[in-house]
Amino acid sequence: MFNWNNFLKDNKWDIICILVLLSFILSIGIFRLYTQIDVGIGNWDTYLYLANGRSFAKMGYGDVASISPVVPYILSIIFRIVGHPFEESIFILDTMGYILGVIALYLILRFRFDYYISLIGCVIFGSFTLLLSWVALGGNDIVGMSLMLCAIYFILKAKFNNWKWLYIALPLSAFAFLARYTSGILLFSLIFYLFMDGINKEKITYLIKSSIFGIILVSPALYHFNRILGTPFPFLGQFSGTVSNTAVIDAGYLPNIFYYITNLPTYLFSSIPYKSTFEAVINPSGNIVNLLGYLMVGLLLLAFVFYLVDIYKGLASNNIKNNKYILTGICIVILLFVLTFNTVSYLVSIILMFIGLYLVYLLVNNLKLNDKIPDIDFFMFGLFGSFLIFESILSTKNDRYFITTLPFIAYFISVSISRLMNYYDLNPIIYGHITRKHILTGLIIILLLISSLGFISSIPKHNHFNYVKESCNWYEDTYSNNNTTVIYSDNWPAVNWYLNKYIHRAVPYSQFPNVENETWRFSNYLENSPAKADYYFDTNSIEKLEYPGFNKLKTIGEVVIYKNEHTFNNSSYINNSTKSI
């Protein structure tokens, strides 16, 4: 029988640290949640998840059936319980994902560090600017990252304790993948970590069984895909596109392979520029880096300096000739990696990285440095390297994609802090049972709490999407919203969510690259499409043009509602006047 008294006694300090950590992230999370509720929906994709959640709950129209289904499915459960869809649900879900992710990282760090380092590492992670920017914002990145961290925790439990934990780890990995498709990169590190110290029948058996169990658990989502889209694996198209790195010309097209490395300090700790719009929250790469950002980058680099120094000292005290073949192999792999990076698929670069990582692992074993560079560090570097390579080579980039890499950055920052704390003796007692380590940990927590709350309080309140909401509310109050009315918009997910009806897509300049006669062409498109437009909601155009046959019915902020007067007057002016176009 489970003994609670023994459990509490054996895990006393972990429980205390988790409670301290929970107080820290709740203070940040709740403040961030209320800030986002005040701002409203500030991200395009949020509407997609909300609308699909409403569709899953059979309460109205969805939009893109092939997007990751985990967040919409959870939202649909909330909608059913409450009895109606509401936008605050995704803010709450995002905040809960943030809390879960930070706690999961603490449990991961405890496999490697003591209570204090694990607590400090998680407080640093929970304060990263990029993470705080997207807490409660309404995406799938934080939820997917949190599920991935939970999967990693149980992978470590399987490795350290019992392989049966894979029955939880693999299904969680599958759900993390369905929550955020890029989480599938975890598979490379999983296979590497499980078999880096050798292959045996027991490992393979548990891996196969747990994989089958995971597939069974996610089969309802695959059935949903097949029913809606005609294929259970719609993500294979995205996967093949990323493998070949097919260029997609859109707002996220950024082929610069150093984009994330260049913006790394900004992602860690930065401030929102004065008089910025909410775009500075969605894309913090334009923020102003502060001292903490550079300090964290320095600590990250210092961790790898420590590793190199350890290996150098190990080689210096041993006969290098005994390891010449391994060293030669490492040099060859590094050369191949550099020569092929960004010239072939990212899969080749990731595989080369793991080959090199395995050779370094053999070298560390030969030099007997396992106490300084344990196996878990190789696992974490594999995760860090895999995501960084994938995100850097991929031609489509967005600041939020880097959220998945943040936990591993926090891990190696923790490595540096641990080394530094061991170098300087912080155990002497100052007063009672309070040591220097307690004081330092407390000061770091207070400093980062002030930094985080200060960042959240500086978030701009002006939100362009609120104009879309007001416009849709005006339309519903003024006109009858029925299924026979055809509406087009350049922000179809937002209008879809607010009006709860199918909205057709229409974006003038991306639809017709030739700017000449653009207004005539676009009017012709709206008039002669199979679904003839009754109204057009223009939300994003900087200049609100005059479209022949369409009158500006209402202007609210940055949104203009156009009405097709010739449709309502049974006129064919557009058809007759645009034959030459």
Side-chain angles (χ1 to χ4, degrees):
M1 177 181 279
F2 185 79
N3 190 315
W4 278 103
N5 290 329
N6 289 340
F7 175 80
L8 294 174
K9 183 179 179 181
D10 295 339
N11 299 279
K12 173 185 174 182
W13 285 107
D14 272 326
I15 293 172
I16 291 173
C17 286
I18 288 176
L19 288 175
V20 171
L21 182 60
L22 196 58
S23 301
F24 177 85
I25 55 179
L26 279 175
S27 300
I28 293 173
I30 292 174
F31 185 31
R32 181 68 183 88
L33 173 62
Y34 276 102
T35 302
Q36 195 61 49
I37 290 174
D38 185 36
V39 171
I41 297 176
N43 178 43
W44 177 289
D45 290 348
T46 302
Y47 293 108
L48 298 176
Y49 302 123
L50 284 168
N52 274 18
R54 178 174 61 192
S55 176
F56 287 2
K58 298 182 179 179
M59 293 180 176
Y61 289 88
D63 192 87
V64 183
S66 61
I67 66 172
S68 307
V70 172
V71 168
Y73 181 74
I74 297 173
L75 290 174
S76 71
I77 296 174
I78 298 173
F79 293 164
R80 290 191 190 102
I81 293 173
V82 176
H84 65 90
F86 62 107
E87 65 183 38
E88 292 80 8
S89 59
I90 197 168
F91 303 155
I92 296 169
L93 178 61
D94 232 0
T95 306
M96 292 174 65
Y98 166 71
I99 295 169
L100 174 64
V102 177
I103 296 298
L105 182 62
Y106 174 84
L107 298 176
I108 291 170
L109 294 181
R110 283 292 289 119
F111 284 101
R112 173 70 159 84
F113 308 106
D114 63 21
Y115 316 106
Y116 305 103
I117 302 300
S118 300
L119 178 58
I120 291 172
C122 286
V123 167
I124 290 172
F125 169 66
S127 305
F128 283 155
T129 297
L130 179 59
L131 190 63
L132 290 181
S133 295
W134 280 84
V135 170
L137 192 55
N140 65 351
D141 301 270
I142 289 180
V143 173
M145 177 203 67
S146 298
L147 289 174
M148 181 186 69
L149 289 176
C150 290
I152 290 171
Y153 168 70
F154 285 106
I155 290 170
L156 293 173
K157 286 280 287 183
K159 181 83 170 181
F160 279 85
N161 301 121
N162 192 313
W163 291 111
K164 291 182 179 179
W165 288 108
L166 286 177
Y167 288 121
I168 298 177
L170 269 295
L172 276 174
S173 300
F175 280 111
F177 169 72
L178 289 178
R180 185 82 179 104
Y181 291 148
T182 53
S183 297
I185 299 294
L186 170 64
L187 180 64
F188 294 100
S189 294
L190 168 64
I191 295 173
F192 170 76
Y193 184 57
L194 293 183
F195 297 110
M196 64 187 287
D197 58 350
I199 300 174
N200 60 52
K201 183 179 179 180
E202 182 184 24
K203 289 183 188 178
I204 295 175
T205 301
Y206 275 113
L207 186 62
I208 293 174
K209 288 182 178 179
S210 56
S211 298
I212 294 173
F213 183 53
I215 292 172
I216 292 173
L217 288 181
V218 301
S219 57
L222 301 181
Y223 170 77
H224 165 76
F225 283 148
N226 190 63
R227 181 173 58 85
I228 300 296
L229 303 172
T231 173
F233 309 111
F235 41 79
L236 289 180
Q238 295 185 34
F239 175 75
S240 61
T242 60
V243 169
S244 59
N245 198 16
T246 303
V248 179
I249 305 299
D250 62 10
Y253 180 68
L254 291 167
N256 179 12
I257 60 174
F258 299 108
Y259 177 79
Y260 292 114
I261 294 175
T262 302
N263 291 310
L264 181 57
T266 315
Y267 294 152
L268 301 186
F269 286 94
S270 60
S271 305
I272 298 174
Y274 181 61
K275 290 186 177 180
S276 295
T277 65
F278 196 75
E279 182 67 22
V281 179
I282 297 174
N283 295 302
S285 55
N287 288 356
I288 302 170
V289 185
N290 57 38
L291 183 61
L292 281 174
Y294 292 117
L295 175 62
M296 292 303 154
V297 172
L299 289 172
L300 173 64
L301 296 175
L302 186 60
F304 301 114
V305 171
F306 281 133
Y307 292 143
L308 292 174
V309 170
D310 290 336
I311 292 173
Y312 174 78
K313 289 181 177 179
L315 288 170
S317 60
N318 287 271
N319 190 342
I320 295 181
K321 291 182 179 180
N322 296 333
N323 298 287
K324 63 180 181 180
Y325 295 113
I326 296 178
L327 291 171
T328 302
I330 292 172
C331 292
I332 292 172
V333 170
I334 292 174
L335 180 62
L336 289 173
F337 180 87
V338 172
L339 291 176
T340 60
F341 190 78
N342 202 36
T343 61
V344 294
S345 169
Y346 68 85
L347 290 178
V348 175
S349 297
I350 289 176
I351 291 170
L352 285 172
M353 182 201 69
F354 278 112
I355 293 173
L357 204 57
Y358 181 69
L359 292 174
V360 174
Y361 170 74
L362 295 178
L363 180 63
V364 167
N365 278 343
N366 286 351
L367 300 176
K368 302 187 185 307
L369 296 173
N370 307 78
D371 57 329
K372 294 184 177 181
I373 313 177
D375 291 3
I376 188 175
D377 286 14
F378 288 93
F379 181 37
M380 291 299 158
F381 186 84
L383 289 163
F384 173 66
S386 297
F387 282 106
L388 184 59
I389 290 169
F390 169 73
E391 291 157 353
S392 298
I393 291 180
L394 203 64
S395 59
T396 303
K397 294 179 177 66
N398 193 302
D399 289 350
R400 66 185 175 88
Y401 295 168
F402 200 72
I403 288 175
T404 315
T405 314
L406 294 179
F408 315 115
I409 291 175
Y411 180 90
F412 290 108
I413 289 174
S414 300
V415 169
S416 288
I417 294 174
S418 177
R419 291 286 192 103
L420 292 172
M421 280 193 171
N422 289 335
Y423 183 77
Y424 296 101
D425 186 10
L426 298 175
N427 291 318
I429 295 174
I430 296 177
Y431 179 79
H433 296 288
I434 300 175
T435 65
R436 293 176 182 173
K437 187 178 286 187
H438 292 132
I439 297 296
L440 181 60
T441 303
L443 289 174
I444 291 174
I445 292 173
I446 293 171
L447 172 64
L448 293 181
L449 180 62
I450 294 172
S451 172
S452 300
L453 295 179
F455 173 82
I456 295 171
S457 64
S458 70
I459 290 177
K461 300 299 187 294
H462 174 74
N463 178 15
H464 158 78
F465 291 107
N466 284 335
Y467 293 129
V468 184
K469 182 178 183 178
E470 293 173 20
S471 300
C472 291
N473 290 340
W474 177 87
Y475 173 83
E476 281 196 311
D477 293 339
T478 309
Y479 295 92
S480 99
N481 183 20
N482 55 61
N483 290 331
T484 61
T485 304
V486 178
I487 298 175
Y488 282 73
S489 178
D490 58 350
N491 189 346
W492 55 95
V495 180
N496 169 288
W497 168 250
Y498 291 124
L499 295 184
N500 195 8
K501 68 183 277 90
Y502 181 78
I503 306 299
H504 297 265
R505 311 177 185 195
V507 183
Y509 289 99
S510 63
Q511 185 70 241
F512 304 102
N514 184 8
V515 178
E516 184 181 359
N517 293 325
E518 172 59 29
T519 56
W520 289 95
R521 289 179 181 275
F522 191 60
S523 295
N524 190 46
Y525 171 76
L526 295 176
E527 175 76 14
N528 293 312
S529 292
K532 190 175 183 178
D534 296 318
Y535 298 94
Y536 174 65
F537 284 66
D538 186 315
T539 70
N540 293 318
S541 298
I542 297 175
E543 182 180 355
K544 306 302 180 182
L545 302 175
E546 299 289 340
Y547 296 111
F550 287 80
N551 291 335
K552 292 181 179 179
L553 185 64
K554 183 71 174 178
T555 299
I556 299 178
E558 300 164 5
V559 177
V560 173
I561 302 175
Y562 293 85
K563 182 179 181 181
N564 188 343
E565 294 295 341
H566 298 282
T567 297
F568 287 96
N569 296 330
N570 294 319
S571 170
S572 57
Y573 173 76
I574 298 296
N575 288 327
N576 293 331
S577 60
T578 58
K579 289 180 180 179
S580 61
I581 296 179

